[in-house]
Amino acid sequence: MPRTAKTPQIPAIGPLDRSAGALGRQLAQKLRDAVKGGGLQPGESLPSTRALAESLGIARGTVVQVYEQLMAEGFLVSCPGVGTQVAPSLAGVPRKGAARGMPLPPLPPAAEAFARVASQFTPLPPVPFAVSVPVGMAAPGLAWRRLGNRIRAHGAGAPGGYGDPQGALPLREAIADYVRRSRSVHCGAEQVIVATGTQQGLFLACMVLLGQDDCAWVENPAYLGITALLDALAPGRMVRVPVDEEGIDVAAGLRLCPGARAAFVTPSHQYPLGMPMGMARRNALLDWARARSAWIVEDDYDSELRYTGHPFPSLQGLDPGRVVYLGTFSKILFPSLRLGYAVVPPALVQAFRGARALMDRHPPSADQHVLAAFIAEGHLDRHIRRIRGVYAQSRAQLLQILQEALPGGLAWLQPSDQGMHCVLWLAPRIDDRAVALQAVRAGVAVRPLSPMYAPGSGRPGLVLGLGAFPAEQVAEAARRLAAVIAAAAA
Ligand SMILES: Cc1ncc(COP(=O)(O)O)c(C=O)c1O
């Protein structure tokens, strides 16, 4: 048998490939392509189903089905007395070939800003020193799996209809209870908006709090997830405010832009440098917000993990009507869970709830119910106690290994007593972006620090996640990183 059918009655479609099977689907696609590419013109008559079937050596029924399918799609029409034609209404529709070389419609500046940031959010491989990789003892274990299986099979987490855009009530109650007792956040479940992580909380806060001309203070340096967001949503309206050892420099913010509508801050553990915001600074920030009718957005991403003394209480607890508090389970559980929350002042609940619904309705229900049970049954508290010990040990081990491995005078650690990452400063002549790229090639995952600064104000450094990798793996990674740094400085 020949591998291809006979010469078709429509030259523009070429022969079918018998060895590939699905002849009807092939014919349909070839006809569509011929119409789109101009090989078949609007109004042009097609051969009868019998003639085309014979010319192609296929069953007539196959051609009948293809013609019917393409009529349903609007490519063909059937005219009494004339037969089947390419739909005349397609005249004037741009052809595939004709579009080549034509300029695309312009995109708004936000699209360019989104495209610029796309590559920066590529996840790092699960090797030292990637942040938030739940390996070994740091991963939630048997209790999480058992609860998941039980809840997905029966009851609240089983397949159902749409859920509440604000989040499942049992989870909101569990979160409200958790942040009240562990973070001194003042709230009820009715103020909790369940989000797919802090990133969505930041997006919601920008959408709800910032008007067309409003400026926002952002720490310098800061998390890329907020700076890139404001670059896209509020171009030219982000005011980078320096931080010192007490956190955001409120006096500098007042000089730069006293009338900003919101301040995005990380008071428990400045991201990325690691210091907590002092009490005088907290009061100064709140005084500014009250005097200028501004909001404060508190990103409390990893405050559970403090290794000396207790975690610092939230800023929200000092003025619950003024602060939008953002929390996440990415750090204490695992980031692929994609669950976090915003605790918002009562006056903002409806706006956040509506914005949440328009963004993606609500997070997947099953995981919300699994997490609600995990918190309510005490597993989260036990898990946090465990990982605090795990990360304290990882941290001590990492600091010691790095101190031994690092090339003197080229890299030094920033002191910090909490969180899941540490900062390694590099000598000014070293390009931290190049080091991060080379490190990944050497099997070590680090983030460069300088892109977290406002353009022109950066210092080179690296953000290293603590992780819970075995000591030998960490030691090997530290040696490789040291070699990459030394090579970059040469
Ligand atoms: C400071 C800071 N804020 C927010 C986030 C976003 O966390 P999520 O995974 O909850 O979106 C991160 C993640 O690394 C972070 O470091």
Side-chain angles (χ1 to χ4, degrees), residues 241-335:
V241 181
V243 299
D244 59 21
E245 57 288 351
E246 291 288 300
I248 191 166
D249 183 346
V250 177
L254 285 168
R255 280 195 302 276
L256 290 165
C257 179
R261 176 64 62 227
F264 290 82
V265 287
T266 46
S268 301
H269 187 214
Q270 202 281 331
Y271 189 87
L273 300 185
M275 61 284 190
M277 193 185 292
M279 192 42 95
R281 266 318 145 73
R282 289 175 185 235
N283 286 332
L285 187 64
L286 287 167
D287 284 347
W288 161 76
R290 290 180 200 119
R292 304 299 302 225
S293 205
W295 300 103
I296 295 170
V297 181
E298 174 176 17
D299 177 355
D300 202 29
Y301 60 103
D302 72 354
S303 53
E304 291 88 352
L305 299 172
R306 181 145 190 258
Y307 307 114
T308 50
H310 295 289
F312 297 102
S314 68
L315 183 66
Q316 193 267 9
L318 298 177
D319 194 341
R322 192 58 61 184
V323 179
V324 169
Y325 175 90
L326 303 179
T328 181
F329 295 100
S330 289
K331 307 280 179 181
I332 45 170
L333 283 174
F334 53 101

XYZ file of all heavy atoms in Angstrom, residues 241-335:
738
model
N 12.657 53.824 50.176
C 13.075 54.465 51.420
C 14.194 53.616 52.033
O 14.010 52.409 52.227
C 11.872 54.575 52.395
C 12.306 55.268 53.683
C 10.718 55.323 51.733
N 15.351 54.244 52.348
C 16.466 53.441 52.864
C 16.134 52.781 54.197
O 15.257 53.258 54.935
C 17.597 54.467 53.037
C 16.963 55.798 52.943
C 15.665 55.670 52.231
N 16.824 51.688 54.489
C 16.699 51.064 55.814
C 18.043 51.202 56.519
O 19.092 51.247 55.881
C 16.316 49.569 55.725
C 14.982 49.378 55.053
C 17.387 48.747 55.025
N 17.997 51.299 57.861
C 19.236 51.230 58.646
C 19.068 50.097 59.646
O 18.159 49.269 59.486
C 19.556 52.592 59.296
C 18.429 53.065 60.211
O 17.614 52.207 60.651
O 18.348 54.268 60.493
N 19.868 50.074 60.697
C 19.808 48.917 61.604
C 18.492 48.845 62.392
O 18.187 47.837 63.016
C 21.035 48.851 62.535
C 21.304 50.046 63.414
C 21.834 51.269 62.649
O 22.166 51.173 61.440
O 21.874 52.334 63.263
N 17.663 49.893 62.334
C 16.365 49.901 63.020
C 15.213 49.626 62.058
O 14.044 49.700 62.424
C 16.129 51.280 63.661
C 17.036 51.601 64.828
C 16.662 50.776 66.042
O 15.522 50.891 66.506
O 17.512 49.983 66.501
N 15.525 49.378 60.788
C 14.466 49.148 59.796
C 14.259 50.382 58.943
O 15.181 51.214 58.786
N 13.047 50.553 58.402
C 12.805 51.645 57.448
C 13.072 52.997 58.109
O 12.687 53.241 59.265
C 11.364 51.561 56.878
C 11.192 52.509 55.696
C 10.329 51.837 57.955
C 9.923 52.227 54.887
N 13.752 53.883 57.385
C 14.111 55.200 57.902
C 12.925 56.145 57.637
O 12.807 56.736 56.555
C 15.386 55.669 57.178
C 15.881 57.006 57.694
O 15.116 57.703 58.406
O 17.022 57.364 57.369
N 12.065 56.267 58.650
C 10.817 57.023 58.467
C 11.113 58.491 58.145
O 10.441 59.098 57.298
C 9.916 56.896 59.726
C 8.652 57.727 59.583
C 9.571 55.428 59.961
N 12.153 59.036 58.787
C 12.491 60.451 58.525
C 12.854 60.630 57.042
O 12.461 61.622 56.412
C 13.644 60.881 59.423
N 13.570 59.650 56.488
C 13.929 59.746 55.061
C 12.660 59.651 54.207
O 12.507 60.388 53.225
C 14.905 58.629 54.689
N 11.749 58.777 54.592
C 10.479 58.658 53.863
C 9.723 59.980 53.873
O 9.175 60.411 52.848
N 9.740 60.657 55.041
C 9.036 61.947 55.155
C 9.673 63.001 54.252
O 8.978 63.842 53.693
C 9.051 62.418 56.610
C 8.097 61.661 57.526
C 8.362 61.971 58.990
C 6.650 62.003 57.174
N 10.986 62.926 54.132
C 11.663 63.892 53.239
C 11.336 63.585 51.774
O 11.089 64.470 50.972
C 13.180 63.821 53.435
C 13.690 64.567 54.654
C 15.204 64.764 54.600
N 15.943 63.520 54.488
C 16.275 62.740 55.530
N 15.935 63.095 56.756
N 16.951 61.623 55.340
N 11.316 62.273 51.450
C 11.172 61.893 50.034
C 9.740 62.054 49.523
O 9.507 62.495 48.405
C 11.601 60.426 49.858
C 13.105 60.159 50.024
C 13.374 58.676 50.210
C 13.846 60.677 48.799
N 8.773 61.650 50.361
C 7.379 61.694 49.892
C 6.429 61.576 51.082
O 5.939 60.482 51.388
C 7.144 60.545 48.895
S 5.461 60.477 48.271
N 6.175 62.694 51.782
C 5.350 62.598 53.006
C 3.924 62.147 52.728
O 3.271 61.569 53.580
C 5.388 64.036 53.559
C 5.815 64.893 52.408
C 6.654 64.038 51.502
N 3.443 62.398 51.515
C 2.023 62.129 51.237
C 1.755 60.775 50.616
O 0.689 60.581 50.009
N 2.687 59.820 50.767
C 2.450 58.498 50.171
C 1.188 57.880 50.766
O 0.826 58.169 51.909
C 3.652 57.594 50.414
N 0.503 57.049 49.978
C -0.754 56.459 50.454
C -0.534 55.180 51.262
O -1.366 54.784 52.071
C -1.655 56.147 49.227
C -2.941 55.464 49.507
C -3.919 56.276 50.364
N -4.308 57.502 49.711
C -4.332 58.698 50.303
N -4.003 58.821 51.585
N -4.678 59.778 49.637
N 0.629 54.531 51.038
C 0.871 53.267 51.741
C 2.364 53.048 51.895
O 3.163 53.574 51.109
C 0.264 52.094 50.956
N 2.716 52.252 52.924
C 4.118 51.836 53.106
C 4.140 50.315 53.168
O 3.374 49.713 53.928
C 4.679 52.424 54.389
N 4.985 49.709 52.339
C 5.131 48.247 52.337
C 6.397 47.914 53.128
O 7.494 48.302 52.718
C 5.244 47.730 50.897
C 3.949 47.847 50.138
C 3.584 49.050 49.555
C 3.093 46.757 50.019
C 2.373 49.162 48.865
C 1.891 46.858 49.331
C 1.528 48.072 48.747
N 6.230 47.212 54.256
C 7.375 46.987 55.148
C 7.425 45.540 55.646
O 6.427 44.816 55.604
C 7.312 47.941 56.376
C 7.648 49.358 55.969
C 5.943 47.887 57.056
N 8.618 45.153 56.130
C 8.825 43.818 56.701
C 9.351 44.011 58.129
O 10.556 43.831 58.373
C 9.826 43.023 55.840
O 10.956 43.868 55.531
C 9.221 42.544 54.539
N 8.481 44.383 59.088
C 8.961 44.822 60.401
C 9.598 43.721 61.254
O 10.522 44.002 62.008
C 7.692 45.338 61.102
C 6.615 45.344 60.087
C 7.026 44.479 58.955
N 9.129 42.481 61.152
C 9.681 41.455 62.036
C 11.079 41.051 61.621
O 11.904 40.686 62.450
C 8.810 40.197 62.019
O 7.522 40.521 62.420
N 11.333 41.106 60.305
C 12.581 40.565 59.788
C 12.802 41.209 58.433
O 12.330 40.692 57.419
C 12.408 39.031 59.654
C 13.659 38.321 59.289
N 13.652 37.210 58.488
C 14.945 38.544 59.634
C 14.899 36.783 58.341
N 15.693 37.567 59.028
N 13.468 42.363 58.426
C 13.583 43.116 57.176
C 14.079 42.197 56.067
O 15.072 41.469 56.243
C 14.549 44.300 57.364
C 14.364 45.432 56.355
C 14.979 45.172 54.975
O 15.949 44.463 54.875
N 14.387 45.757 53.944
N 13.336 42.241 54.926
C 13.775 41.427 53.802
C 14.542 42.309 52.832
O 14.034 43.329 52.425
C 12.602 40.777 53.067
C 13.127 39.773 52.054
C 13.377 38.469 52.428
C 13.453 40.174 50.761
C 13.934 37.572 51.526
C 14.015 39.279 49.861
C 14.245 37.986 50.251
O 14.814 37.100 49.372
N 15.768 41.949 52.476
C 16.476 40.710 52.788
C 17.478 40.804 53.934
O 18.063 39.797 54.305
C 17.229 40.466 51.476
C 17.570 41.862 50.994
C 16.416 42.726 51.399
N 17.693 42.004 54.531
C 18.860 42.159 55.398
C 18.719 41.511 56.772
O 19.705 41.163 57.399
C 19.222 43.650 55.541
C 19.558 44.348 54.210
C 20.024 45.775 54.446
C 20.623 43.581 53.436
N 17.479 41.387 57.271
C 17.286 40.542 58.445
C 17.064 41.222 59.775
O 16.796 40.544 60.762
N 17.167 42.566 59.883
C 16.991 43.152 61.221
C 15.509 43.420 61.490
O 14.747 43.671 60.565
C 17.779 44.464 61.382
C 17.392 45.557 60.455
S 18.066 45.195 58.840
C 17.784 46.693 57.971
N 15.102 43.370 62.787
C 13.720 43.730 63.123
C 13.581 45.244 63.208
O 14.562 45.946 63.442
C 13.524 43.093 64.503
C 14.894 43.000 65.075
C 15.875 42.896 63.944
N 12.365 45.736 63.014
C 12.129 47.180 63.123
C 12.025 47.537 64.618
O 11.254 46.898 65.344
C 10.828 47.552 62.408
C 10.666 49.050 62.201
S 9.044 49.485 61.493
C 9.150 48.816 59.872
N 12.820 48.517 65.048
C 12.802 48.910 66.458
C 11.466 49.550 66.844
O 10.713 49.996 65.976
N 11.200 49.582 68.167
C 9.903 50.096 68.637
C 9.710 51.571 68.289
O 8.621 51.988 67.886
C 9.785 49.856 70.146
C 8.404 50.075 70.691
S 7.062 49.405 69.658
C 6.801 47.847 70.411
N 10.790 52.366 68.404
C 10.653 53.799 68.091
C 10.276 53.968 66.620
O 9.420 54.799 66.262
C 11.969 54.521 68.392
N 10.863 53.163 65.765
C 10.556 53.237 64.333
C 9.105 52.810 64.049
O 8.415 53.389 63.211
C 11.446 52.283 63.563
C 12.708 52.754 62.984
C 12.672 54.089 62.329
N 13.952 54.722 62.564
C 15.076 54.351 61.966
N 15.086 53.383 61.071
N 16.188 54.957 62.245
N 8.686 51.765 64.777
C 7.301 51.298 64.580
C 6.337 52.437 64.917
O 5.385 52.718 64.189
C 7.002 50.094 65.473
C 7.728 48.861 65.016
C 7.543 47.682 65.961
N 8.390 46.592 65.490
C 7.989 45.366 65.211
N 6.737 45.033 65.425
N 8.804 44.463 64.753
N 6.634 53.106 66.051
C 5.745 54.204 66.458
C 5.807 55.354 65.456
O 4.776 55.947 65.118
C 6.121 54.693 67.857
C 5.671 53.692 68.909
O 4.692 52.958 68.695
N 6.385 53.618 70.021
N 7.011 55.653 64.969
C 7.149 56.761 64.009
C 6.372 56.444 62.726
O 5.703 57.314 62.146
C 8.627 56.993 63.691
N 6.448 55.186 62.305
C 5.745 54.798 61.070
C 4.230 54.918 61.257
O 3.509 55.454 60.400
C 6.140 53.353 60.711
C 5.661 52.825 59.381
C 6.265 53.612 58.219
C 6.029 51.332 59.231
N 3.761 54.444 62.415
C 2.318 54.527 62.670
C 1.875 55.986 62.809
O 0.798 56.366 62.323
C 1.964 53.728 63.930
C 2.015 52.203 63.751
C 1.965 51.490 65.093
C 0.863 51.729 62.860
N 2.704 56.809 63.466
C 2.352 58.241 63.618
C 2.203 58.874 62.237
O 1.272 59.641 61.986
C 3.453 58.993 64.387
C 3.395 58.678 65.871
O 2.370 58.101 66.315
O 4.388 58.972 66.576
N 3.154 58.566 61.345
C 3.060 59.106 59.972
C 1.754 58.648 59.304
O 1.033 59.452 58.709
C 4.268 58.635 59.151
C 4.031 58.741 57.675
C 4.043 59.881 56.933
C 3.704 57.676 56.773
N 3.752 59.594 55.614
C 3.537 58.240 55.492
C 3.539 56.295 56.918
C 3.202 57.481 54.361
C 3.220 55.538 55.806
C 3.048 56.131 54.543
N 1.477 57.332 59.436
C 0.295 56.793 58.752
C -0.987 57.456 59.274
O -1.882 57.802 58.496
C 0.232 55.279 58.932
N -1.035 57.677 60.592
C -2.249 58.304 61.160
C -2.341 59.761 60.706
O -3.397 60.234 60.294
C -2.199 58.244 62.690
C -2.376 56.847 63.238
C -2.314 56.875 64.778
N -2.006 55.553 65.284
C -0.926 55.256 66.009
N -0.059 56.196 66.362
N -0.723 54.011 66.418
N -1.203 60.462 60.765
C -1.223 61.898 60.445
C -1.553 62.127 58.974
O -2.234 63.087 58.620
C 0.130 62.526 60.788
N -1.068 61.248 58.080
C -1.219 61.477 56.641
C -2.280 60.598 56.014
O -2.398 60.530 54.796
C 0.120 61.238 55.914
C 1.272 62.044 56.427
C 1.070 63.548 56.300
N 0.833 63.968 54.948
C 1.385 65.001 54.345
N 2.241 65.757 55.028
N 1.099 65.312 53.108
N -3.045 59.911 56.847
C -4.102 59.044 56.337
C -3.544 58.030 55.327
O -3.990 57.938 54.184
C -5.197 59.904 55.686
O -6.402 59.200 55.716
N -2.556 57.303 55.791
C -1.919 56.300 54.923
C -2.114 54.910 55.524
O -2.443 54.762 56.702
C -0.431 56.607 54.796
N -1.913 53.899 54.683
C -2.001 52.508 55.136
C -0.595 51.934 55.282
O 0.326 52.350 54.578
C -2.737 51.647 54.104
C -4.132 52.081 53.811
C -4.555 52.757 52.712
C -5.287 51.856 54.614
N -5.903 52.974 52.774
C -6.376 52.435 53.933
C -5.505 51.237 55.839
C -7.672 52.395 54.432
C -6.798 51.196 56.338
C -7.867 51.774 55.650
N -0.488 50.924 56.159
C 0.774 50.184 56.246
C 0.485 48.739 55.863
O -0.507 48.151 56.322
C 1.351 50.250 57.675
C 1.714 51.701 57.997
C 2.572 49.345 57.816
C 2.059 51.947 59.436
N 1.314 48.200 54.981
C 1.172 46.787 54.606
C 2.350 46.050 55.222
O 3.511 46.314 54.898
C 1.146 46.607 53.074
C 0.979 45.129 52.727
C 0.018 47.442 52.460
N 2.041 45.154 56.156
C 3.069 44.436 56.922
C 3.249 43.039 56.339
O 2.362 42.197 56.428
C 2.611 44.338 58.393
C 3.533 43.493 59.241
C 3.132 43.473 60.723
O 1.972 43.838 61.050
O 3.982 43.081 61.554
N 4.403 42.803 55.724
C 4.702 41.483 55.161
C 5.455 40.697 56.234
O 6.634 40.943 56.492
C 5.543 41.674 53.888
C 5.959 40.351 53.259
O 5.678 39.295 53.842
O 6.580 40.387 52.172
N 4.757 39.745 56.857
C 5.314 39.003 58.007
C 5.630 37.582 57.560
O 5.016 36.626 57.995
C 4.274 39.008 59.141
C 4.901 38.776 60.498
O 6.059 39.136 60.690
O 4.211 38.222 61.366
N 6.609 37.457 56.668
C 6.768 36.212 55.907
C 7.402 35.057 56.663
O 7.150 33.909 56.340
C 7.560 36.506 54.622
C 8.935 37.067 54.903
C 10.059 36.274 54.801
C 9.090 38.379 55.325
C 11.312 36.778 55.099
C 10.334 38.888 55.628
C 11.433 38.087 55.520
O 12.665 38.579 55.839
N 8.272 35.323 57.660
C 8.902 34.169 58.335
C 9.193 34.404 59.807
O 10.145 33.859 60.351
C 10.190 33.744 57.597
C 11.335 34.742 57.790
O 11.100 35.810 58.386
O 12.448 34.443 57.341
N 8.337 35.225 60.466
C 8.664 35.648 61.832
C 8.612 34.508 62.842
O 9.116 34.650 63.954
C 7.692 36.739 62.247
O 6.393 36.256 62.029
N 8.000 33.376 62.476
C 7.913 32.254 63.424
C 9.289 31.727 63.776
O 9.486 31.096 64.813
C 7.104 31.090 62.830
C 5.624 31.351 62.654
C 5.295 31.999 61.312
O 6.219 32.396 60.574
O 4.101 32.123 61.015
N 10.272 31.970 62.876
C 11.571 31.324 63.046
C 12.592 32.283 63.653
O 13.443 32.831 62.968
C 12.061 30.800 61.690
C 11.131 29.764 61.063
C 11.555 29.421 59.661
C 11.076 28.506 61.919
N 12.455 32.521 64.958
C 13.470 33.329 65.645
C 14.221 32.370 66.567
O 13.594 31.541 67.233
C 12.778 34.460 66.412
C 13.737 35.341 67.125
C 13.328 36.801 67.181
N 14.450 37.578 67.685
C 14.533 38.024 68.934
N 13.541 37.855 69.777
N 15.612 38.667 69.335
N 15.541 32.465 66.594
C 16.329 31.442 67.284
C 16.785 31.863 68.675
O 17.199 31.038 69.467
C 17.532 31.044 66.418
C 17.074 30.646 65.045
C 17.405 31.395 63.919
C 16.238 29.549 64.873
C 16.943 31.048 62.671
C 15.767 29.195 63.624
C 16.121 29.953 62.528
O 15.638 29.609 61.296
N 16.757 33.158 68.971
C 17.108 33.596 70.323
C 15.917 34.422 70.807
O 15.556 35.398 70.161
C 18.371 34.479 70.314
O 18.201 35.496 69.322
C 19.611 33.682 70.018
N 15.277 34.017 71.883
C 14.109 34.745 72.392
C 12.871 34.444 71.574
O 12.874 33.565 70.705
N 11.812 35.216 71.848
C 10.521 34.960 71.196
C 10.392 35.773 69.918
O 11.021 36.819 69.785
C 9.386 35.354 72.141
C 9.356 34.495 73.356
N 8.979 33.184 73.316
C 9.683 34.762 74.648
C 9.071 32.671 74.533
N 9.498 33.604 75.354
N 9.532 35.315 68.975
C 9.284 36.143 67.783
C 8.772 37.531 68.184
O 8.109 37.684 69.206
C 8.199 35.355 67.034
C 8.331 33.955 67.521
C 8.825 34.045 68.938
N 9.102 38.553 67.371
C 8.622 39.908 67.670
C 7.127 39.987 67.397
O 6.649 39.418 66.413
C 9.337 40.924 66.777
C 10.811 40.969 67.010
C 11.682 40.346 66.149
C 11.323 41.620 68.134
C 13.048 40.364 66.376
C 12.682 41.636 68.365
C 13.552 41.003 67.486
N 6.372 40.701 68.260
C 4.931 40.854 67.969
C 4.729 41.643 66.682
O 5.611 42.386 66.249
C 4.387 41.619 69.170
C 5.524 41.892 70.063
C 6.796 41.426 69.443
N 3.551 41.487 66.105
C 3.287 42.162 64.825
C 3.124 43.671 65.014
O 2.803 44.151 66.109
C 2.007 41.614 64.222
O 0.913 42.012 65.025
N 3.305 44.393 63.930
C 3.023 45.832 63.908
C 1.503 46.032 63.939
O 0.987 46.978 64.531
C 3.616 46.417 62.627
C 3.537 47.906 62.379
C 4.379 48.660 63.393
C 4.042 48.231 60.974
N 0.783 45.112 63.303
C -0.675 45.220 63.229
C -1.284 45.356 64.624
O -2.226 46.124 64.819
C -1.247 43.979 62.506
C -2.699 44.086 62.088
C -3.679 43.525 63.132
O -3.297 43.197 64.267
N -4.944 43.438 62.754
N -0.702 44.616 65.605
C -1.251 44.650 66.965
C -1.208 46.035 67.581
O -1.981 46.337 68.493
N -0.320 46.903 67.067
C -0.215 48.254 67.636
C -1.278 49.197 67.089
O -1.600 50.204 67.710
C 1.176 48.846 67.342
C 2.378 48.107 67.941
C 3.676 48.758 67.497
C 2.282 48.093 69.466
N -1.794 48.909 65.904
C -2.861 49.740 65.338
C -3.645 48.953 64.281
O -3.424 49.106 63.067
C -2.285 51.020 64.724
C -3.387 52.048 64.435
O -4.576 51.627 64.374
O -3.079 53.234 64.269
N -4.555 48.081 64.743
C -5.238 47.156 63.828
C -6.076 47.829 62.741
O -6.379 47.214 61.726
C -6.141 46.341 64.757
C -5.589 46.545 66.124
C -4.937 47.888 66.140
N -6.419 49.110 62.943
C -7.256 49.781 61.943
C -6.455 50.370 60.794
O -7.015 50.883 59.812
N -5.122 50.335 60.919
C -4.269 51.074 59.995
C -3.416 50.137 59.146
O -2.841 50.530 58.152
C -3.352 51.938 60.899
C -2.532 52.999 60.340
C -3.249 54.047 59.599
N -4.223 54.816 60.328
C -4.990 55.734 59.748
N -4.866 55.987 58.453
N -5.888 56.395 60.452
N -3.330 48.859 59.616
C -2.344 47.939 59.035
C -3.035 46.771 58.322
O -3.962 46.163 58.856
C -1.420 47.377 60.149
C -0.389 46.400 59.568
C -0.716 48.514 60.886
N -2.556 46.474 57.112
C -2.943 45.239 56.421
C -1.820 44.247 56.700
O -0.656 44.504 56.369
C -3.080 45.477 54.898
C -3.220 44.154 54.153
C -4.277 46.387 54.617
N -2.166 43.142 57.353
C -1.150 42.170 57.781
C -1.143 40.993 56.808
O -2.188 40.408 56.518
C -1.506 41.706 59.192
C -0.617 40.607 59.720
C 0.552 40.899 60.420
C -0.948 39.266 59.516
C 1.367 39.893 60.888
C -0.136 38.254 59.983
C 1.019 38.578 60.668
O 1.833 37.575 61.138
N 0.035 40.645 56.276
C 0.129 39.525 55.328
C 0.955 38.399 55.928
O 2.069 38.623 56.411
C 0.790 39.982 54.026
C 0.138 41.154 53.287
C 0.941 41.503 52.035
C -1.312 40.824 52.906
N 0.414 37.199 55.876
C 1.144 36.024 56.370
C 1.124 34.932 55.314
O 0.332 34.967 54.370
N 2.007 33.953 55.468
C 2.107 32.895 54.452
C 2.451 31.559 55.096
O 3.092 31.526 56.151
C 3.180 33.254 53.408
O 3.232 32.209 52.436
C 4.562 33.433 54.015
N 2.041 30.481 54.447
C 2.455 29.145 54.883
C 3.601 28.628 54.021
O 4.012 27.481 54.174
C 1.252 28.180 54.847
C 0.193 28.564 55.842
C -0.936 29.266 55.451
C 0.360 28.278 57.187
C -1.884 29.659 56.376
C -0.576 28.672 58.126
C -1.713 29.366 57.715
N 4.110 29.486 53.121
C 5.201 29.057 52.231
C 6.462 28.718 52.999
O 7.213 27.836 52.614
C 5.549 30.160 51.241
O 4.533 30.310 50.300
N 6.734 29.461 54.047
C 7.999 29.268 54.752
C 7.863 28.175 55.802
O 8.715 27.309 55.891
C 8.437 30.578 55.428
C 8.484 31.758 54.491
C 9.748 31.775 53.672
C 9.753 32.950 52.722
N 10.916 33.014 51.884
N 6.801 28.228 56.600
C 6.729 27.253 57.692
C 6.204 25.894 57.220
O 6.483 24.891 57.843
C 5.876 27.755 58.889
C 4.576 28.386 58.418
C 6.673 28.678 59.756
C 3.634 28.669 59.555
N 5.449 25.847 56.119
C 5.042 24.536 55.576
C 5.810 24.297 54.271
O 6.889 23.776 54.306
C 3.532 24.474 55.387
C 2.762 24.264 56.703
C 1.260 24.361 56.493
C 3.108 22.916 57.329
N 5.265 24.724 53.141
C 6.022 24.585 51.894
C 5.393 25.499 50.841
O 4.176 25.689 50.808
C 6.058 23.121 51.413
C 4.717 22.443 51.293
C 4.112 22.303 50.066
C 4.076 21.940 52.413
C 2.878 21.665 49.952
C 2.843 21.309 52.310
C 2.244 21.173 51.074
N 6.229 26.083 49.940
C 5.727 27.119 49.028
C 4.746 26.617 47.976
O 3.877 27.362 47.546
C 6.971 27.662 48.347
C 8.143 27.031 48.986
C 7.691 25.917 49.860
